[in-house]
């Protein structure tokens, strides 16, 4: 335990997916505004050693840290809400902990002792929590324990937290994020599942200090009292958390129920300083509410058999990055998810893209729907529709350029056709060996790398505007890929007019490709993932430049549409941000 350090554990009751991550991030934001330094930690109970090998359409986006660690999307929420960069010690899975303990046992690290879940796994968990707090020199750790109360697999994390509370009763608090259903047939908010979840938590020897009552409606005082009576907490420690339009309203909403005073009281703390942190936040939230126009952006990719909920989870950082740059430009955006296979089946359909103010091709892997994506990129280039390609979206833009401008008709990526006569996107040499040995976990080119930007380019202009580049025009962005623009073709591609406006400092790896402004208003792709560094109060310069280009294209102001989600065809869900 770090001296005088405070711990807030956030656990889930009743069911998953009700917003523990947003609740934890919002608590963090509020505490920041009271002058505290907070460090969030995400605990994922699964046995995967990291999130790298997990399918994003099942588990949500893989969020990459500067260090290259592949983590859960909640880490993205923390970074965005708290405007901070997190590191390896802030994320842990059961797999990671067990791997460490087992390797230590193999190396005689336990000196012949019998190694057991308690105390060896729990000690390792506690060691990591302590280290994370020390690394960040923080006042308060907010530790979100994944899963729901009653799951077998998160029990050891809760047990570790319990022992901290026993040792330091005034410095540790438990927050349960619970769900209060309103069954259609009754039309009334029910508290019983929450009561049962608290009882289950009690059976671990843990009493919640606060309950965040998630539900379709705000919880009324009568039900707060009911929960208080049944669960032995004060009614004011039940915080109302109804569904709201934007996750960024949550910290402000929590404060309406005076969440910070409950935390201060429980943890025996006093506000350090009022630093106006929430004022800036309020400004940002207002920007969204007062947006003047709606932009229409198509996200083209290989989506099939997935609903819009899953897609939004798989690309959450892209969506949030679009939001930030739109809101600060007095706009809201309607994203349409377009299955590129539809263009392969019916090439005439591609003309629908004329109706969009911009096109994004996000990151991805594999062959499915790729030709349709390339058709969409060609359409964006020829019709001067602003285009932003993210990782795969940049690689495919290079392929499109090579096929249709240079005339290398079979230009391709080694990921799909290594036998093409023009493998313009090739496997990185260090990746080749790893793949041959079936080493898939944490082996891509991952994490933050610097890039140099060229003078007179859209990229440099954009970064300069946001003060993100030093004099040497160097940026740092996060990566997650195995393939790169092949060094064999760079000179020819550049001669044909595509500009590599960002490269690795040694000039070997192409980081950004763009068309000159004289040719196209905005056509740019990045080998890295700028979306991982977009923050509400600091939108990403490339997303902002893209959104500005979309605004310029859309000369008439389109009113904000009121519906949240509108399906225009079974395969094309529109999401209004
Ligand atoms: N599949 C491509 C690669 O591995 C792009 C990866 C991505 O978009 N994240 O290089």
């Amino acid at each position: 335990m770090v001296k005088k350090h405070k711990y807030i554990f956030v656990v889930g009751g009743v069911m998953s997916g009700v917003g523990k991550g947003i609740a934890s991030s919002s608590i963090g934001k509020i505490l920041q505004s009271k002058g505290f330094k907070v460090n969030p930690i995400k605990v994922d109970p699964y046995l995967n050693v990291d999130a790298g090998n997990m399918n994003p359409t099942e588990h949500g986006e893989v969020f990459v840290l500067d260090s290259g660690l592949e983590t859960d999307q909640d880490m993205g929420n923390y970074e965005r809400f708290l405007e901070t960069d997190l590191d390896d010690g802030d994320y842990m899975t059961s797999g990671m902990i067990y791997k460490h303990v087992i390797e230590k046992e193999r190396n005689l690290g336990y000196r012949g002792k019998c190694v057991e879940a308690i105390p060896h796994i729990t000690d390792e968990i506690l060691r990591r929590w302590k280290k994370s707090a020390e690394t960040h020199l923080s006042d308060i750790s907010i530790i979100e324990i994944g899963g729901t109360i009653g799951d077998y697999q998160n029990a050891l994390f809760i047990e570790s937290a319990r022992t901290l509370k026993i040792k330091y009763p005034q410095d540790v608090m438990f927050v349960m994020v619970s769900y209060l259903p309103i069954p259609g047939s009754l039309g009334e908010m029910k508290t019983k599942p929450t009561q049962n979840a608290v009882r289950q938590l009690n059976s671990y020897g843990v009493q919640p200090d606060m309950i965040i009552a998630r539900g379709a409606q705000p919880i009324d005082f009568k039900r707060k009292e009911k929960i208080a009576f049944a669960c032995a907490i004060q009614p004011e420690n039940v915080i109302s958390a109804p569904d709201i339009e934007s996750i960024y309203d949550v910290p402000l909403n929590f404060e309406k129920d005076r969440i910070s005073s409950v935390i201060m009281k429980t943890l025996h703390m006093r506000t350090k300083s009022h630093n106006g942190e929430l004022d800036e936040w309020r400004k940002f939230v207002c920007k969204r509410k007062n947006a003047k126009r709606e932009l229409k952006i198509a996200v083209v990719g290989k989506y099939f058999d997935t609903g819009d909920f899953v897609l939004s989870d798989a690309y959450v950082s892209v969506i949030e990055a679009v939001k930030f740059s739109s809101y600060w430009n007095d706009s809201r955006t309607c994203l349409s998810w377009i299955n590129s296979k539809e263009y392969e089946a019916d090439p005439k359909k591609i003309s629908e893209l004329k109706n969009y103010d911009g096109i994004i091709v996000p990151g991805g892997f594999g062959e499915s729907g790729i030709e349709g994506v390339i058709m969409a990129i060609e359409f964006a280039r020829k019709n001067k529709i602003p285009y932003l390609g993210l990782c795969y979206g940049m690689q495919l833009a290079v392929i499109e350029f090579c096929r249709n401008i240079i005339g290398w008709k079979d230009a391709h990526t080694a990921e799909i056709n290594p036998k093409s006569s023009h493998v313009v996107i090739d496997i990185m040499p260090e990746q080749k060996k790893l793949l041959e040995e079936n080493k898939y976990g944490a082996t891509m080119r991952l994490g933050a790398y610097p890039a140099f930007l060229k003078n007179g380019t859209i990229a440099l202009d954009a970064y300069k505007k946001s003060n993100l580049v030093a004099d040497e025009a160097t940026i740092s962005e996060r990566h997650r890929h195995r393939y790169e623009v092949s060094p064999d073709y760079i000179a020819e591609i550049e001669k044909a007019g595509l500009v590599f406006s960002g490269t690795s400092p040694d000039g070997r790896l192409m980081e950004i490709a763009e068309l000159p402004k004289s040719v196209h208003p905005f056509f740019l792709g990045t080998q890295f993932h700028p979306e991982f560094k977009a923050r509400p109060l600091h939108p990403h310069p490339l997303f902002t430049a893209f959104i500005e280009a979309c605004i310029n294209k859309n000369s008439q102001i389109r009113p904000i549409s009121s519906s949240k989600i509108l399906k225009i065809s079974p395969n094309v869900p529109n999401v209004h941000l």
Side-chain angles (χ1 to χ4, degrees):
M1 177 85 174
V2 184
K3 203 154 169 265
K4 289 241 172 90
H5 189 78
K6 308 284 181 182
Y7 287 93
I8 300 177
F9 289 97
V10 180
V11 299
V14 178
M15 65 187 205
S16 64
V18 293
K20 285 197 300 291
I22 300 299
S24 307
S25 307
S26 300
I27 289 173
K29 188 83 227 161
I30 290 163
L31 293 172
Q32 276 183 338
S33 78
K34 306 275 171 198
F36 295 102
K37 189 155 178 9
V38 299
N39 74 299
I41 298 177
K42 174 75 200 272
V43 167
D44 267 332
Y46 44 66
L47 285 178
N48 303 60
V49 171
D50 57 42
N53 286 346
M54 290 163 94
N55 180 353
T57 53
E58 274 170 37
H59 185 77
E61 171 188 85
V62 177
F63 188 80
V64 181
L65 304 183
D66 272 345
S67 68
L69 187 71
E70 296 166 288
T71 71
D72 180 85
Q73 56 174 320
D74 273 327
M75 296 291 279
N77 283 323
Y78 301 159
E79 285 204 348
R80 286 186 283 268
F81 272 73
L82 305 176
E83 304 253 335
T84 186
D85 290 331
L86 297 174
D87 60 37
D88 290 9
D90 307 328
Y91 179 68
M92 60 197 69
T93 69
S94 296
M96 207 186 262
I97 309 267
Y98 273 88
K99 186 167 180 267
H100 177 92
V101 170
I102 291 169
E103 275 168 8
K104 188 167 164 189
E105 187 278 330
R106 293 289 80 190
N107 298 333
L108 263 186
Y110 295 99
R111 302 183 185 283
K113 284 221 172 69
C114 173
V115 181
E116 298 185 86
I118 299 174
H120 298 103
I121 294 290
T122 45
D123 279 353
E124 176 57 21
I125 292 168
L126 290 166
R127 187 187 69 80
R128 287 178 184 233
W129 288 344
K130 182 168 175 248
K131 192 163 162 239
S132 168
E134 284 168 349
T135 308
H136 290 281
L137 297 172
S138 68
D139 304 302
I140 309 167
S141 298
I142 300 170
I143 304 178
E144 178 190 346
I145 298 185
T148 311
I149 290 303
D151 294 348
Y152 281 116
Q153 32 179 9
N154 58 18
L156 286 174
F157 292 104
I158 297 171
E159 171 59 14
S160 308
R162 184 191 70 83
T163 60
L164 266 188
K165 175 82 176 176
I166 297 294
K167 260 190 170 159
Y168 308 101
Q170 306 214 325
D171 301 319
V172 177
M173 88 179 266
F174 283 89
V175 177
M176 176 185 267
V177 181
S178 191
Y179 189 72
L180 289 92
I182 306 176
S185 54
L186 300 177
E188 185 197 327
M189 185 178 253
K190 303 304 283 180
T191 63
K192 188 70 80 191
T194 296
Q195 296 179 36
N196 287 335
V198 169
R199 251 170 233 149
Q200 201 148 20
L201 184 60
N202 289 159
S203 74
Y204 290 100
V206 172
Q207 166 66 15
D209 300 286
M210 182 199 285
I211 293 172
I212 293 182
R214 288 280 298 113
Q217 307 276 332
I219 181 170
D220 58 352
F221 193 70
K222 194 170 148 227
R223 283 173 183 75
K224 281 190 180 184
E225 278 187 316
K226 204 166 176 182
I227 291 178
F229 182 71
C231 304
I233 71 170
Q234 297 302 317
E236 59 270 24
N237 289 22
V238 181
I239 305 293
S240 177
D243 290 347
I244 38 178
E245 260 194 34
S246 162
I247 53 172
Y248 300 106
D249 290 340
V250 174
L252 306 176
N253 244 29
F254 278 1
E255 267 308 62
K256 282 190 198 146
D257 248 8
R258 297 160 170 265
I259 195 171
S260 62
S261 55
V262 177
I263 296 173
M264 298 292 138
K265 210 165 135 192
T266 311
L267 289 176
H268 307 269
M269 298 191 299
R270 283 224 185 102
T271 296
K272 258 190 169 172
S273 67
H274 290 285
N275 56 15
E277 186 87 26
L278 278 188
D279 298 343
E280 272 301 294
W281 194 262
R282 215 165 266 125
K283 219 189 272 169
F284 162 71
V285 165
C286 280
K287 276 281 187 190
R288 173 182 180 276
K289 293 203 170 113
N290 301 331
K292 290 200 289 275
R293 65 170 89 71
E294 184 166 82
L295 301 169
K296 284 178 68 173
I297 293 178
V299 186
V300 184
K302 49 153 197 175
Y303 316 115
F304 44 97
D305 305 327
T306 52
D308 40 7
F309 167 76
V310 180
L311 287 179
S312 337
D313 254 26
Y315 291 105
V316 58
S317 292
V318 177
I319 295 172
E320 300 311 299
V322 168
K323 283 184 188 172
F324 308 151
S325 292
S326 303
Y327 299 166
W328 286 114
N329 276 293
D330 302 312
S331 308
R332 301 260 291 266
T333 291
C334 172
L335 284 184
S336 301
W337 302 93
I338 296 185
N339 184 345
S340 55
K341 283 185 171 173
E342 290 179 17
Y343 300 149
E344 293 173 2
D346 178 8
K348 281 202 293 296
K349 208 168 174 281
I350 197 119
S351 63
E352 72 178 12
L353 287 176
K354 264 209 305 279
N355 304 324
Y356 290 92
D357 305 316
I359 296 173
I360 295 178
V361 171
F365 295 83
E367 181 167 12
S368 142
I370 283 316
E371 290 306 318
V373 174
I374 294 174
M375 288 163 72
I377 297 173
E378 179 181 6
F379 192 88
R381 182 177 55 74
K382 286 188 171 156
N383 293 280
K384 302 205 189 304
I385 302 172
Y387 173 75
L388 181 64
L390 307 169
C391 204
Y392 216 12
M394 178 242 198
Q395 297 175 351
L396 296 172
V398 171
I399 291 170
E400 191 279 323
F401 185 88
C402 292
R403 285 186 187 178
N404 300 323
I405 296 285
I406 307 184
W408 298 332
K409 288 294 166 215
D410 71 340
H412 227 315
T413 161
E415 184 170 353
I416 296 173
N417 182 9
K419 298 212 170 77
S420 144
S421 55
H422 293 90
V423 179
V424 293
I425 305 293
D426 208 351
I427 184 110
M428 307 173 85
E430 55 275 32
Q431 293 294 322
K432 199 169 187 169
K433 204 162 157 275
L434 294 165
L435 280 192
E436 279 162 10
E437 293 165 8
N438 265 354
K439 288 190 176 150
Y440 289 100
T443 55
M444 279 185 258
R445 180 170 181 248
L446 289 165
Y449 287 91
F452 279 177
L453 300 182
K454 264 192 205 127
N455 262 330
T457 59
I458 296 177
L460 181 61
D461 279 357
Y463 278 95
K464 260 192 184 157
K465 262 201 203 165
S466 67
N467 291 334
L468 273 184
V469 273
D471 290 345
E472 306 82 29
T474 309
I475 54 164
S476 168
E477 294 281 3
R478 296 181 187 171
H479 297 69
R480 186 170 188 255
H481 63 115
R482 281 187 209 284
Y483 299 84
E484 58 165 329
V485 179
S486 165
D488 299 345
Y489 295 102
I490 290 168
E492 273 173 282
I493 296 172
E494 280 192 311
K495 217 169 94 202
L498 191 66
V499 178
F500 289 112
S501 49
T503 65
S504 57
D506 62 5
R508 203 176 63 86
L509 300 169
M510 300 303 106
E511 294 278 13
I512 308 177
E514 63 180 70
L515 284 175
K517 261 213 162 113
S518 53
V519 175
H520 193 288
F522 188 96
F523 187 94
L524 183 144
T526 58
Q527 184 58 83
F528 50 82
H529 291 269
E531 66 270 24
F532 290 145
K533 298 268 285 236
R535 306 278 164 79
L537 307 184
H538 299 93
H540 194 284
L542 294 180
F543 276 89
T544 300
F546 169 68
I547 291 293
E548 284 169 1
C550 296
I551 291 171
N552 288 339
K553 175 175 183 286
N554 164 23
S555 48
Q556 98 276 14
I557 289 192
R558 203 179 290 123
I560 310 277
S561 72
S562 52
S563 67
K564 237 186 134 206
I565 293 179
L566 166 80
K567 296 225 181 208
I568 54 172
S569 90
N571 286 333
V572 187
N574 284 349
V575 185
H576 295 267
L577 307 181

